[in-house]
Amino acid sequence: MAGRAYEGSCHCGAISYVYRTAVPVSQWQVRACQCSFCRTHAALTTSDAAGSVEFRFDRPDDLHLYRFALKTADFVLCRNCGTYLAARITTPKGSYAVVNLRALSRLPPELPAAQGVTYDAESPEDRVARRESHWTPVLGVAAGPA
Ligand SMILES: [Zn+2]
């Protein structure tokens, strides 16, 4: 897989991700989702449909998958330290994720400003279709324990 690797980790190190993309950081699309969950975490997410995400579960028991509202995605959290690492969806086409850039050890200085986004008006079908076409493919079957 071409591109650079960016490693994010929860605070205690139980769960981490490697996000690979060929897109330079200065051109990343950074989203600040305005849903109640993302606001409480000050989440900054990004994705690249041509990139990849790989999760690592050093302590799988600390993985917590949280679902709310339409329950169309799993929010990947560490049960031990509470870090929100990523959101993940699995469809017949595959598994896709957005990573929370707050889990990087530091935010790259050239990171563009986040755009506030709301998806409240989407139907569940539209939401799945958007994620399949815009989110980053996840490497590894089922991306760890569910
Ligand atoms: Zn943790």
Side-chain angles (χ1 to χ4, degrees):
M1 177 74 62
R4 271 195 60 188
Y6 301 86
E7 289 190 40
S9 172
C10 74
H11 191 256
C12 73
I15 301 166
S16 53
Y17 65 71
V18 177
Y19 172 57
R20 287 188 181 84
T21 179
V23 179
V25 171
S26 61
Q27 291 170 34
W28 286 7
Q29 292 194 356
V30 183
R31 296 181 287 273
C33 175
Q34 297 302 297
C35 85
S36 53
F37 176 85
C38 288
R39 279 192 288 106
T40 60
H41 288 270
L44 293 176
T45 59
T46 196
S47 60
D48 175 6
S52 70
V53 179
E54 199 165 1
F55 290 99
R56 202 175 63 219
F57 303 99
D58 286 348
R59 293 202 303 278
D61 287 349
D62 284 338
L63 172 65
H64 179 62
L65 298 174
Y66 176 62
R67 289 188 172 190
F68 67 100
L70 296 176
K71 300 189 173 11
T72 52
D74 288 320
F75 290 80
V76 178
L77 297 148
C78 176
R79 197 186 296 281
N80 186 42
C81 69
T83 303
Y84 163 45
L85 289 120
R88 188 178 83 182
I89 187 172
T90 299
T91 78
K93 291 183 181 174
S95 191
Y96 306 89
V98 289
V99 293
N100 182 11
L101 299 172
R102 298 288 189 194
L104 297 175
S105 56
R106 67 178 188 108
L107 288 176
E110 67 272 38
L111 194 72
Q115 300 197 338
V117 290
T118 50
Y119 300 108
D120 293 346
E122 274 183 333
S123 71
E125 296 76 23
D126 288 347
R127 186 159 299 189
V128 170
R130 172 175 53 81
R131 289 167 170 166
E132 284 177 343
S133 58
H134 289 91
W135 284 19
T136 313
V138 175
L139 301 181
V141 174

